[in-house]
Every structure is written in structure tokens, then in C-alpha cells.
Amino acid sequence: MKTVGLIGGMSWESTTAYYQLLNRGIQQRLGGLHSAKILMASVDFHEFETMMRDDRWDDIGRQLAVISTKLELGGADLVLLCTNTIHKVADEIEAVLTVPFLHLIDATGQVIVARGIERVGLLGTSFTMEEEFYRGRLEQKHGLSVLVPARDDRKLVNRVIFEELCCGKFGDKSAADYLRIIDQLEKDGAEGVILGCTEIGMLIRQEQTSLPLFDTTRIHVDAAIEAMLA
């Protein structure tokens, strides 16, 4: 089994899901007392959220490049960045590694294409929904048409992520708001919806909607398990 390096803490709520899902997945695949070989570097999300708001993405990229190098030197055979939004600096991370960097957006795009879906809705932070690094990669590399909510709904989705989900708050009102937005994306032509923030899968479940949901945390973990056992 290969050792996976996790860059976590953005937020720690979803990073705990990565840890649990990786270990459960390995145990299910190998049985017995098997568990995942994991190295983790967990950051202070307050510092990174401040840099995001201040548009200091170069600083974020430099810091995560250093962390990635430390994970590789510590014995990681592959590296995962346990957040959607910070994949904006994925190129900076990948540039310093000699081991594989498992890109969350590509793993998600591959699963969606395999399902035969062409038009997909996207929920996430404002950075994820509005900037080119996420939508553009899905469109250009995977041939998908990506739909996002209207402006006011994007603001709502973003607010809930930072003010509630990242703080471990998963309320019925916010879940209902998200489901309403998912319904509107379906009316707009979406054949499925990407839960493009690692915390959204803790708020919304597939059984709450008939529209296919693509939980990026689970997709990323599944891809990591395949790579670890290859």
C-alpha cells in the first residue's frame, strides 16, 4: 500500500471526513485490521481564509508548496489537497512534487463524464463558482458545460459555507436553501450537480434529491484509494 499525504485544515471539518473515508475504504477493500497509511499537514484555516479575502494567492501557493515538499520528504507517495477552492493554486503544488498530485477537479470530471452527463451544476465558494480555475478546467479538459446559480444564490451558498459549514453548523434552513438552488439548476438544464466544497456533502445527501449529486470529497477519496492500492 502506498502512503498518501493530505494537506488539510481547510476546513478541519471536511478533513476529518477525508481521514475517516480513507481508512474505511482501505478496510473495506483489504479487510481485517487494515487501515490507510496517511501523512497529514493541517493548517490554520483562519490564516488561509484571510489570505483568500486579501487576494494573496501567491502567498497561499508558496506556503502549500513548502508543505507539499515536506509531505513528500516524509514519505508520501502521492499528495491530496483536501479542499476545492484552494485548487486555484494546484499548479504551484504540483510543480514542486516528484510524486503524483491527485487533482480533485480532474477526479470529479472523470466521474461525471463516465456517467454520460454533459451539463452539470456547480455549488461551492464564490471563488469556485465564479473563477476560471474550476469551471474552465471542467469545460476545457473534460468537455463539460458548467452551470452556476444566480448571483444572490451564489452569495447565499458562499455565506453558508464560511459562516456555517466550516464551523460545524449544518442547519435545516440552509439545507432547504441548497435543495431549492439545486432544483433551480435542474430547471436550468443541469443533469447533475457538483458539491464543489468539501463540506457540502455533510449538509446535503443524495436521498434528498433525484438529481445526481457528485460529492467531491468522496470522489477524491475513491480516486486516492485506487492510487494507493495500484
Side-chain angles (χ1 to χ4, degrees):
M1 183 197 313
K2 295 174 183 175
T3 298
V4 61
L6 303 181
I7 307 173
M10 299 171 280
S11 70
W12 69 264
E13 289 284 347
S14 60
T15 303
T16 60
Y18 269 86
Y19 185 81
Q20 291 175 336
L21 291 169
L22 281 164
N23 280 292
R24 287 173 182 165
I26 291 294
Q27 198 278 330
Q28 289 168 2
R29 290 283 294 272
L30 299 183
L33 296 177
H34 283 288
S35 56
K37 293 183 178 180
I38 297 173
L39 293 175
M40 183 188 299
S42 191
V43 305
D44 180 357
F45 190 35
H46 171 80
E47 297 174 1
F48 280 78
E49 193 272 337
T50 300
M51 288 188 284
M52 290 161 60
R53 281 190 286 108
D54 292 343
D55 200 29
R56 293 165 52 202
W57 290 97
D58 288 344
D59 290 337
I60 293 173
R62 280 191 291 269
Q63 290 194 33
L64 294 186
V66 171
I67 290 171
S68 301
T69 300
K70 290 180 179 178
L71 286 172
E72 181 174 354
L73 290 173
D77 299 303
L78 66 154
V79 172
L80 272 67
L81 178 59
C82 304
T83 163
N84 283 263
T85 298
I86 310 297
H87 271 72
K88 180 170 178 174
V89 298
D91 288 348
E92 286 90 327
I93 295 171
E94 197 163 15
V96 300
L97 292 172
T98 62
V99 298
F101 174 75
L102 191 53
H103 203 294
L104 179 150
I105 301 173
D106 289 340
T108 301
Q110 289 161 9
V111 168
I112 294 169
V113 170
R115 287 280 296 271
I117 287 175
E118 297 179 354
R119 291 171 60 83
V120 65
L122 174 62
L123 300 180
T125 66
S126 293
F127 302 103
T128 294
M129 291 185 288
E130 297 173 2
E131 297 193 19
E132 184 69 13
F133 77 95
Y134 206 107
R135 296 172 59 185
R137 193 174 184 103
L138 289 171
E139 291 168 347
Q140 295 161 21
K141 189 168 183 178
H142 300 281
L144 295 168
S145 176
V146 180
L147 308 176
V148 297
R151 182 176 181 273
D152 286 347
D153 283 340
R154 293 199 304 271
K155 291 173 65 176
L156 184 153
V157 169
N158 184 77
R159 180 189 60 76
V160 168
I161 289 170
F162 284 106
E163 297 181 9
E164 299 179 22
L165 306 189
C166 290
C167 300
K169 301 175 183 177
F170 306 98
D172 292 341
K173 172 64 167 59
S174 294
D177 285 335
Y178 271 51
L179 290 169
R180 173 186 59 77
I181 293 168
I182 289 170
D183 286 344
Q184 184 59 53
L185 286 169
E186 183 174 22
K187 292 175 183 175
D188 293 340
E191 303 166 83
V193 171
I194 298 170
L195 305 184
C197 174
T198 48
E199 290 82 15
I200 298 178
M202 295 183 241
L203 179 70
I204 298 297
R205 300 180 304 279
Q206 181 61 73
E207 56 264 31
Q208 294 173 292
T209 177
S210 59
L211 197 64
L213 300 180
F214 297 95
D215 184 341
T216 55
T217 299
R218 292 183 178 274
I219 290 170
H220 207 194
V221 166
D222 288 344
I225 291 171
E226 290 298 322
M228 292 166 71
L229 298 179

